[in-house]
Amino acid sequence: MNPYILTILLFAMGLGTTITFASSHWLLAWMGLEINTLAILPLMCQSHHPRAVEATIKYFLTQATAAAMLLFASITNAWITGQWNLEFMSYSLPTTLVTVALALKIGLAPLHAWMPEVLQGLDLTTGLILSTWQKLAPFCLLLQINPSNTSLLLILGLASTLVGGWGGLNQNQLRKILAYSSIAHLGWMILVLQFFPSLTLLTLLMYFVMTFSLFISFKVNNSTTINSLSMSWSKAPIISSMVPFILLSLGGLPPLSGFMPKWLILQELTKQSLAPLATLAALSALLSLYFYLRISYAMTLTMSPNILLNALPWRLPSNQHTLPLAITTSLTICLLPLTPAIITLLTL
Amino acid sequence: MLKILIPSMFMLLTTWTSPFKQLWSTILMYSFLVATLSLTWLAMPTDTGWFYINNYMAYDPLSSPLLVLTCWLLPLMIIASQNHLAEEPENRQRTYISLLISLQIFLILAFSATEMIMFYVMFEATLIPTLIIITRWGNQMERLNAGTYFLFYTLAGSLPLLVALLIYHSSMGSLSYLSLTSLPLTCSNLYANKLWWMACLLAFLVKMPLYGVHLWLPKAHVEAPIAGSMVLAAVLLKLGGYGMMRIMIILDPLTKELSYPFIILALWGVIMTGSICLRQTDLKSLIAYSSVSHMGLVAAGILIQTPWGFTGALILMIAHGLTSSALFCLANTNYERTHSRTIILARGLQMVLPLMATWWFLASLANLALPPLPNLMGEIMIITSLFNWSFYTLILTGLGTLITASYSLYMFLLTQRGPIPHHLILLEPSHTREHLLLALHLLPLLLLIAKPELVWGWTA
């Protein structure tokens, strides 16, 4: 893509999110979300492939619906309370409608159906932007509203973890797996939103780091299916030996950093006397772990039959810029001992 | 304590920076040094107190035998793995040794943890290197299934444990071992408290394993390479027993009624898995089921909650660790020569490898709990404490002892005695390394006859 166009689009995406971050007026927040959506659409269909265009249209339709619902909710709130401020939503109808609209925007179950199909149509980099940057603005709004109904967020959260787990089990396309993993992690974030919002932010940031590592590892191997990952040991041996740790971190196994958000969320839920919910959410993480484990089996822990010639790609020099991958992989694996420091940072 | 932990961590550095020609000797010498230093943990000036290292790590008569067993096992694993890794590329050999060393670090941290969440994190952390050892270096296609069963059985048991620990923490304020004895949970007879009791124990029962949830063990033990089988049988199962012993303190008045079905299940498991051993055709599978059988007795001894029960359980854990690991090493000597685990394929070996037959003999005798070995001491103490609880358990435990004796004898007679088949006449002679390995397993067992107070636990 023309570098000027790319610059304008990326700048516009940043602008949209920043406007939403900085806004205290509902109209301005909605505007930021719309700018964000519109800016990513050309990035999504830049390859002009019919599948990519289909993904773009699906994304546009769902996000536009969500934004319209959001606008409707804020207008209703303005009608009832006479003001447009973000934090002062005290009636249940607008608050619930805003929550559901934002759930559609980020892809929580049961409003998740667009996510795997959209991610499948994109290339890995744009998919990364969709999974990480695009979640920032809706979460900023979710963190600021007072939820009206306790059980709504809990149902959204638990349904997302279960759907994210079960949905990914039958997939062999990596982008769909990443979509379901995203849904599951978003479920964990929503579970604790009304009790300890800093943990939502912590989970979001940890998810960003972990999924960034995974997306970039897949991009380095230029693979989009599980089967094509089986040759990664010859292209990038170190990356293929680190990916099981990234995957197990996404699955939430101690002593990797992915355990940190899950542990703290379970702690908060048990403090709020929601122990059965905590147990169910913890066990649903095992579903996701199964397909993460399957990917690591294919990539690192088994070697498929092959000819000697295919063992040579690592000898060729590569122009990949893998410094960000190195940094995020180290963070994904080694951050658990810093839990007290991170909690303190986020609860300031 | 840090004199052992920090050198273990730096062993990782040594693995990656030693010259390749000296890798195995260096690591072996280093790990033996650490193991010898760890023997100082066995010296207990006071009988039941804790020895604090810092706020987070301590050891007491319960955890010090297990810590010494862990440190002792690493050089043995290195000796055992040397042969089958010899043809692998250099970096893979270094990776394998790093996995073994990281397993030891996690195990030291687990056994010396003073706070239950630290124990939990390290308990789970041991799963990752073991999973990688089983699935990457196992030899058959079924190893992937074995790794999945291993990981998921253990995690499905231990996630409720995490929630149960957090519940206890939120109501009692602390999960430190030091305060556990003075803060039992005051519980009414709510159904939720029974679920909490179950959640606390399920992880350890799966890890031990208890008979109904033992399916992961035969798969994992059989498919793992020799170092994986050794560490699984010798130490990782004992993590379950150790955790159970630690957490029994807070489970108190509920255990009087709730443990009843689990004691019976454990004893039934002793008989059932013993009987399965009599029908096995796979040597490693036989030893794996024998592990389930012994650990069933350990589980019953712990659930009984008497001093003799705990002592018997700890002695049996240490003795079984050494014995089972020795049996797996012996099975591995067969495997490296015939590349098969079928028992009848490698029989009558006393004719060809007479000195190895001595080790088979000693290991089988230890397995069937011959006096005066510590295996017998453990079993007698558990059987006695069970008899004290109820006379009828003697039927189950007596039958279990009989079946244990018969399958141990069966294993010995089938592998060593009888005519040797023609295809085995030209077997490679035993290496000195293999004799050293088995001597190092069985010598501590024989020495423990002289001073079992080292592994008696709290009732010293």
Side-chain angles (χ1 to χ4, degrees):
Chain A
M1 183 178 263
N2 187 346
Y4 297 115
I5 308 284
L6 187 61
T7 313
I8 293 177
L9 290 173
L10 290 176
F11 176 73
M13 267 203 311
L15 182 70
T17 308
T18 314
I19 289 179
T20 311
F21 272 22
S23 65
S24 54
H25 192 288
W26 268 118
L27 213 50
L28 205 60
W30 168 80
M31 252 199 281
L33 287 174
E34 288 285 273
I35 295 176
N36 207 6
T37 310
L38 289 174
I40 201 176
L41 295 177
L43 280 175
M44 287 174 141
C45 60
Q46 61 182 322
S47 64
H48 299 297
H49 183 80
R51 188 69 181 79
V53 175
E54 176 191 338
T56 316
I57 302 286
K58 279 182 185 160
Y59 184 69
F60 174 66
L61 287 175
T62 51
Q63 301 289 304
T65 314
M69 242 186 342
L70 192 73
L71 193 59
F72 180 61
S74 54
I75 292 176
T76 313
N77 190 39
W79 181 260
I80 299 178
T81 62
Q83 49 86 36
W84 289 86
N85 205 318
L86 269 184
E87 294 127 24
F88 302 141
M89 292 189 89
S90 39
Y91 287 89
S92 61
L93 174 65
T95 319
T96 312
L97 204 50
V98 161
T99 314
V100 173
L102 290 170
L104 177 57
K105 253 214 182 294
I106 56 179
L108 284 172
L111 305 160
H112 64 282
W114 59 273
M115 179 87 108
E117 299 166 13
V118 168
L119 252 177
Q120 179 63 24
L122 308 175
D123 59 306
L124 283 166
T125 323
T126 318
L128 173 65
I129 300 178
L130 177 65
S131 299
T132 53
W133 185 260
Q134 299 293 90
K135 308 282 187 261
L136 277 176
F139 261 103
C140 156
L141 294 176
L142 273 171
L143 281 167
Q144 289 180 308
I145 59 179
N146 288 321
S148 58
N149 190 359
T150 317
S151 22
L152 173 66
L153 288 172
L154 295 178
I155 292 175
L156 283 174
L158 188 64
S160 299
T161 55
L162 291 170
V163 161
W166 264 309
L169 285 178
N170 201 22
Q171 308 293 340
N172 55 7
Q173 292 287 329
L174 287 175
R175 290 165 289 180
K176 285 212 174 110
I177 289 180
L178 287 164
Y180 282 108
S181 132
S182 175
I183 296 171
H185 282 269
L186 289 170
W188 278 91
M189 294 176 215
I190 292 295
L191 272 176
V192 79
L193 184 60
Q194 49 192 322
F195 305 122
F196 197 171
S198 311
L199 285 186
T200 305
L201 199 56
L202 169 70
T203 315
L204 188 66
L205 294 174
M206 275 309 309
Y207 171 67
F208 279 7
V209 170
M210 296 192 287
T211 203
F212 181 88
S213 316
L214 200 59
F215 264 99
I216 301 298
S217 306
F218 291 158
K219 187 164 169 53
V220 165
N221 290 315
N222 202 19
S223 53
T224 54
T225 62
I226 300 186
N227 287 339
S228 61
L229 278 177
S230 60
M231 285 311 297
S232 70
W233 65 271
S234 60
K235 290 181 214 165
I238 307 285
I239 292 181
S240 67
S241 58
M242 286 292 120
V243 164
F245 292 110
I246 303 176
L247 286 164
L248 292 175
S249 184
L250 268 172
L253 279 190
L256 307 166
S257 356
F259 179 59
M260 187 197 327
K262 293 206 161 67
W263 171 22
L264 295 167
I265 291 177
L266 290 174
Q267 186 172 33
E268 190 55 40
L269 288 176
T270 51
K271 278 190 199 154
Q272 303 283 340
S273 316
L274 287 170
L277 176 70
T279 317
L280 267 176
L283 290 174
S284 69
L286 285 182
L287 292 165
S288 316
L289 185 65
Y290 185 75
F291 54 81
Y292 295 142
L293 193 64
R294 197 163 50 191
I295 301 178
S296 64
Y297 280 168
M299 192 169 181
T300 315
L301 299 171
T302 59
M303 227 191 280
S304 43
N306 220 320
I307 58 177
L308 191 57
L309 202 58
N310 289 346
L312 300 178
W314 62 272
R315 292 189 183 270
L316 302 169
S318 107
N319 286 332
Q320 311 259 15
H321 303 292
T322 47
L323 179 61
L325 176 61
I327 298 176
T328 49
T329 309
S330 317
L331 290 176
T332 314
I333 298 179
C334 305
L335 216 49
L336 189 65
L338 282 175
T339 307
I342 299 178
I343 295 288
T344 319
L345 273 176
L346 285 170
T347 48
L348 277 175
Chain B
M1 166 75 71
L2 285 180
K3 285 193 287 293
I4 312 287
L5 186 61
I6 306 262
S8 298
M9 290 185 187
F10 276 90
M11 228 192 298
L12 281 174
L13 189 63
T14 315
T15 318
W16 285 96
T17 54
S18 349
F20 184 56
K21 282 204 183 334
Q22 299 155 6
L23 175 67
W24 289 93
S25 349
T26 313
I27 293 295
L28 188 59
M29 186 198 72
Y30 197 142
S31 51
F32 261 126
L33 209 57
V34 170
T36 319
L37 275 178
S38 76
L39 288 172
T40 57
W41 281 329
L42 287 174
M44 293 268 143
T46 75
D47 286 325
T48 54
W50 286 93
F51 293 88
Y52 305 116
I53 314 305
N54 50 35
N55 291 342
Y56 314 109
M57 290 163 58
Y59 63 96
D60 75 336
L62 178 59
S63 52
S64 67
L66 292 163
L67 279 165
V68 176
L69 182 63
T70 310
C71 294
W72 185 246
L73 208 70
L74 182 63
L76 268 50
M77 288 195 279
I78 307 259
I79 297 176
S81 315
Q82 211 166 337
N83 194 14
H84 78 89
L85 283 181
E87 291 100 30
E88 298 232 4
E90 173 187 333
N91 278 340
R92 294 212 191 115
Q93 295 191 23
R94 294 187 198 261
T95 313
Y96 192 81
I97 298 178
S98 313
L99 285 168
L100 295 179
I101 297 174
S102 60
L103 201 53
Q104 177 173 11
I105 297 172
F106 289 141
L107 283 166
I108 295 179
L109 285 170
F111 283 126
S112 60
T114 49
E115 215 249 333
M116 294 244 38
I117 294 283
M118 168 83 151
F119 173 72
Y120 175 82
V121 171
M122 292 303 147
F123 176 84
E124 301 276 289
T126 58
L127 293 177
I128 299 181
T130 318
L131 174 75
I132 297 180
I133 291 176
I134 295 177
T135 52
R136 175 61 184 82
W137 274 277
N139 285 317
Q140 275 76 36
M141 190 185 76
E142 292 83 15
R143 70 187 196 274
L144 299 177
N145 207 11
T148 310
Y149 263 71
F150 169 63
L151 191 66
F152 281 88
Y153 262 76
T154 316
L155 280 176
S158 61
L159 285 170
L161 171 68
L162 179 61
V163 178
L165 288 178
L166 292 171
I167 292 176
Y168 185 82
H169 183 93
S170 69
S171 62
M172 290 290 143
S174 160
L175 277 172
S176 175
Y177 286 150
L178 324 169
S179 58
L180 279 183
T181 49
S182 41
L183 291 176
L185 199 64
T186 54
C187 24
S188 42
N189 263 330
L190 293 175
Y191 189 63
N193 288 3
K194 297 185 182 146
L195 282 178
W196 174 81
W197 182 93
M198 191 63 229
C200 281
L201 276 188
L202 186 63
F204 304 120
L205 290 174
V206 169
K207 193 82 177 172
M208 285 206 75
L210 185 68
Y211 177 56
V213 287
H214 70 287
L215 277 180
W216 64 271
L217 188 136
K219 289 190 198 296
H221 274 128
V222 164
E223 303 299 332
I226 178 61
S229 293
M230 286 168 74
V231 77
L232 266 171
V235 190
L236 289 178
L237 302 187
K238 304 354 179 207
L239 263 180
Y242 172 75
M244 226 154 85
M245 285 202 237
R246 288 287 184 211
I247 209 163
M248 275 297 180
I249 304 172
I250 57 175
L251 291 179
D252 223 357
L254 285 171
T255 319
K256 282 201 280 283
E257 286 95 27
L258 287 178
S259 61
Y260 198 160
F262 297 101
I263 301 179
I264 302 301
L265 197 55
L267 292 177
W268 183 241
V270 172
I271 298 181
M272 287 306 294
T273 48
S275 319
I276 294 176
C277 283
L278 285 168
R279 298 292 295 167
Q280 282 295 324
T281 56
D282 180 339
L283 186 55
K284 279 182 89 165
S285 192
L286 198 156
I287 305 172
Y289 276 108
S290 126
S291 279
V292 181
S293 176
H294 288 281
M295 296 310 279
L297 209 51
V298 171
I302 299 177
L303 285 167
I304 279 289
Q305 298 181 95
T306 60
W308 269 39
F310 269 38
T311 306
L314 185 59
I315 299 186
L316 189 54
M317 285 204 291
I318 303 292
H320 169 261
L322 290 166
T323 312
S324 196
S325 183
L327 283 170
F328 275 115
C329 292
L330 286 165
N332 189 48
T333 61
N334 275 2
Y335 183 78
E336 284 181 356
R337 285 166 177 75
T338 59
H339 285 291
S340 161
R341 299 190 304 259
T342 316
I343 306 182
I344 55 176
L345 217 53
R347 60 184 190 275
L349 292 173
Q350 188 168 9
M351 288 289 120
V352 186
L353 304 171
L355 191 48
M356 202 51 80
T358 317
W359 302 124
W360 272 104
F361 187 50
L362 283 175
S364 305
L365 289 180
N367 203 20
L368 59 87
L370 191 77
L373 290 166
N375 305 60
L376 176 76
M377 177 172 237
E379 288 197 9
I380 287 274
M381 291 178 101
I382 297 178
I383 293 177
T384 316
S385 58
L386 282 169
F387 184 68
N388 185 28
W389 173 63
S390 157
F391 302 146
Y392 301 104
T393 57
L394 193 62
I395 305 172
L396 294 170
T397 50
L399 203 55
T401 319
L402 184 63
I403 297 181
T404 307
S406 47
Y407 70 70
S408 300
L409 194 61
Y410 170 69
M411 180 175 65
F412 175 67
L413 290 178
L414 203 53
T415 52
Q416 302 304 120
R417 308 278 185 186
I420 182 153
H422 291 290
H423 63 267
L424 287 182
I425 301 180
L426 293 178
L427 270 187
E428 207 177 299
S430 309
H431 302 219
T432 313
R433 176 185 57 87
E434 294 168 347
H435 289 307
L436 174 66
L437 181 62
L438 287 154
L440 287 174
H441 272 106
L442 295 173
L443 211 57
L445 205 57
L446 296 173
L447 288 174
L448 274 177
I449 302 176
K451 196 171 169 63
E453 294 97 57
L454 294 174
V455 295
W456 263 352
W458 290 316
T459 52

